[in-house]
Amino acid sequence: MNTPFIAGAIFTIFGLFMLRYAIRRFKKSVASESWPSVIGQIVTVDLWGNRNIDGEAKPAMRLNVEYKYKVADSIYTNKGVAFYTLVYPETMHYAESHPVNSDVSVYYNPANPTESVLIPGPRKDGKRHSDLIIGILGTLIGLSVSIAGWFGFIG
């Protein structure tokens, strides 16, 4: 059995899955910039995943938000903050500025109002394409290991 080839093939499949997911999320993030918005309400805000802040372990790494909003005569609940992952310090800033029961603009897909976000569009900083890059790198690394294993350069 050629273990490097099999491991590389599995990594390639995982990389392709990540790339497909990243492309879909990026397309939705771009589309969300033109979605209509309504005023919704924050139901829950939770920070989790400890981080050392000023010498103290505090939950700050990840953010869970639940909100409700009304489109036409239907009330929806969702948890999508953005089409990218918020990380510290974004998580802390968002949680502090959007407490429970506060009003928030909810951007929803007019073709499917169950799909919504609180921050429309792709990431604005230099990490705009980071998920795409990770998917491409994972695929290329997996292919490289598979090819090297197949031709006997490794393993």
Side-chain angles (χ1 to χ4, degrees), residues 65-80:
V65 175
E66 186 174 344
Y67 54 93
K68 62 183 177 182
Y69 58 102
K70 185 176 181 180
V71 176
D73 290 328
S74 298
I75 296 176
Y76 300 96
T77 302
N78 205 341
K79 296 180 180 186

Side-chain angles (χ1 to χ4, degrees), residues 72-94:
D73 290 328
S74 298
I75 296 176
Y76 300 96
T77 302
N78 205 341
K79 296 180 180 186
V81 176
F83 283 111
Y84 54 87
T85 302
L86 275 71
V87 293
Y88 177 83
E90 296 168 311
T91 54
M92 294 284 291
H93 294 303
Y94 197 89

Side-chain angles (χ1 to χ4, degrees), residues 15 27 29 34 64 80 87 90-91 107 119 126-127 131 134-135 139:
K27 285 181 178 180
S29 72
S34 63
N64 289 332
V87 293
E90 296 168 311
T91 54
Y107 299 85
I119 304 171
K127 301 173 190 170
D131 291 345
I134 290 170
T139 302

Side-chain angles (χ1 to χ4, degrees), residues 13-55:
I13 292 168
F14 181 71
L16 288 170
F17 172 78
M18 291 292 295
L19 183 58
R20 181 178 173 208
Y21 179 79
I23 290 170
R24 284 184 174 176
R25 299 281 288 185
F26 188 77
K27 285 181 178 180
K28 284 186 180 190
S29 72
V30 170
S32 71
E33 292 178 303
S34 63
W35 287 355
S37 66
V38 294
I39 300 299
Q41 188 175 45
I42 300 289
V43 176
T44 60
V45 177
D46 294 311
L47 289 166
W48 60 278
N50 287 342
R51 182 175 179 100
N52 185 353
I53 301 170
D54 299 327

